[in-house]
Amino acid sequence: MNPTATVAEPTVAWVFGQPVTDLPQDLFIPPDALKVVLSSFQGPLDLLLYLIRKQNIDVLDIPMVKITEQYLHYIAQMESYQFDLAAEYLLMAAVLIEIKSRLLLPRTEAPEEEEADPRAELVRRLLAYEQMKLAAQGLDALPRAGRDFAWAYLPLEIAAEAKLPEVYTADLTQAWLGILSRARHTRSHEVIREAISVRAQMTSILRRLNEGGSCPFHALFKPEQGRAYVVVNFIALLELAKEGLVRIVQNEQFGSIEIHLKNEQNAA
């Protein structure tokens, strides 16, 4: 053996890929730096499930001796760190000790009936707790307003254009019947052949509308001139509406009917 050979010093840690073999003399380590904070567990079932999953133990076949010893060891650590032990932790310790004792008891050679596994109730509680814990973690992972994102408010002013009621055939019929009822009061017994032209009345209506741009429906008729005049005038108005020269408008429900020039309406 070469007496000049140096013995490799043990590596304490690795810092940036380089081994550290000795600790600095002025390094200060707080007394509580290496304490395990056991209060982070949400009760005895959470602690017990942590011990089982940490060692990849099958929940349906729990080695009660090993798990009970580890659980009691954690309880002892909590007492040494002067944590206030809740009653539920002590109750779980008692349950584990009872199950462990029942499993260690010798079984009779010929049992009258098959005994239930003393771990069954504990396994059921552990599985139910784990299911609820995973569901809670899934809900907590969802985006939450105020934590993961903030609501953005953008005030909008939506102006809706007032829609005028449509002129239905029934409204036009009622207005026409009103004109006819007034025309019946003017009767003439003299038989006179009247030559009334639809085109002439169309021209007359357009001339009337050109003066004011619009007029009421009833103003286009003169019942005192007789039924023939009223009928021809109404046909002339329908022809103008058909050709798109005039527009029939009703501004409100059951209101008066107005006749407008088509060009005047478009310009408005």
Side-chain angles (χ1 to χ4, degrees), residues 169-196:
T169 307
D171 300 325
L172 194 59
T173 303
Q174 291 296 329
W176 166 241
L177 292 177
I179 297 297
L180 285 181
S181 63
R182 290 196 298 271
R184 291 193 185 100
H185 296 287
T186 304
R187 296 182 179 180
S188 178
H189 297 282
E190 185 179 359
V191 179
I192 301 175
R193 182 178 180 182
E194 299 177 350
I196 303 176

Side-chain angles (χ1 to χ4, degrees), residues 125-194:
R125 292 175 58 188
L126 283 173
L127 292 176
Y129 175 78
E130 184 179 28
Q131 185 177 6
M132 290 186 292
K133 182 177 181 179
L134 293 176
Q137 292 176 354
L139 292 176
D140 187 67
L142 296 176
R144 185 183 304 173
R147 184 191 68 177
D148 303 315
F149 63 90
W151 293 106
Y153 296 94
L154 180 61
L156 295 177
E157 295 183 1
I158 302 176
E161 182 180 358
K163 184 179 180 181
L164 298 177
E166 298 181 0
V167 179
Y168 294 99
T169 307
D171 300 325
L172 194 59
T173 303
Q174 291 296 329
W176 166 241
L177 292 177
I179 297 297
L180 285 181
S181 63
R182 290 196 298 271
R184 291 193 185 100
H185 296 287
T186 304
R187 296 182 179 180
S188 178
H189 297 282
E190 185 179 359
V191 179
I192 301 175
R193 182 178 180 182
E194 299 177 350

Side-chain angles (χ1 to χ4, degrees), residues 27-239:
L27 180 63
F28 173 73
I29 302 178
D32 298 336
L34 301 180
K35 287 185 177 180
V36 180
V37 181
L38 298 182
S39 60
S40 60
F41 294 107
Q42 303 297 323
L45 285 177
D46 196 23
L47 173 57
L48 189 60
L49 187 63
Y50 166 76
L51 295 176
I52 293 174
R53 293 307 186 192
K54 181 181 178 181
Q55 304 172 80
N56 295 325
I57 297 176
D58 186 5
V59 180
L60 301 179
D61 189 14
I62 303 176
M64 295 306 304
V65 177
K66 182 178 180 180
I67 290 298
T68 303
E69 292 176 356
Q70 292 179 357
Y71 184 88
L72 295 177
H73 176 69
Y74 271 78
I75 293 295
Q77 284 186 330
M78 295 174 70
E79 290 178 340
S80 63
Y81 293 148
Q82 298 180 354
F83 286 122
D84 293 333
L85 288 179
E88 54 185 6
Y89 281 94
L90 299 177
L91 178 61
M92 178 58 68
V95 171
L96 293 176
I97 294 175
E98 179 188 3
I99 296 175
K100 173 185 173 182
S101 303
R102 292 177 60 183
L103 292 175
L104 293 177
L105 290 176
R107 299 182 179 181
T108 58
E109 297 181 357
E112 296 180 358
E113 58 182 10
E114 184 178 356
E115 297 182 358
D117 192 342
R119 300 171 297 180
E121 179 61 22
L122 179 62
V123 169
R124 185 193 63 79
R125 292 175 58 188
L126 283 173
L127 292 176
Y129 175 78
E130 184 179 28
Q131 185 177 6
M132 290 186 292
K133 182 177 181 179
L134 293 176
Q137 292 176 354
L139 292 176
D140 187 67
L142 296 176
R144 185 183 304 173
R147 184 191 68 177
D148 303 315
F149 63 90
W151 293 106
Y153 296 94
L154 180 61
L156 295 177
E157 295 183 1
I158 302 176
E161 182 180 358
K163 184 179 180 181
L164 298 177
E166 298 181 0
V167 179
Y168 294 99
T169 307
D171 300 325
L172 194 59
T173 303
Q174 291 296 329
W176 166 241
L177 292 177
I179 297 297
L180 285 181
S181 63
R182 290 196 298 271
R184 291 193 185 100
H185 296 287
T186 304
R187 296 182 179 180
S188 178
H189 297 282
E190 185 179 359
V191 179
I192 301 175
R193 182 178 180 182
E194 299 177 350
I196 303 176
S197 173
V198 175
R199 286 294 176 182
Q201 291 305 112
M202 292 172 62
T203 304
S204 176
I205 293 174
L206 290 176
R207 187 181 301 111
R208 171 71 179 275
L209 294 177
N210 283 326
E211 294 176 359
S214 64
C215 70
F217 175 77
H218 63 85
L220 295 178
F221 301 90
K222 298 179 180 179
E224 64 273 8
Q225 295 186 10
R227 180 175 298 183
Y229 166 82
V230 172
V231 173
V232 173
N233 213 30
F234 183 72
I235 295 176
L237 178 61
L238 295 180
E239 287 293 333

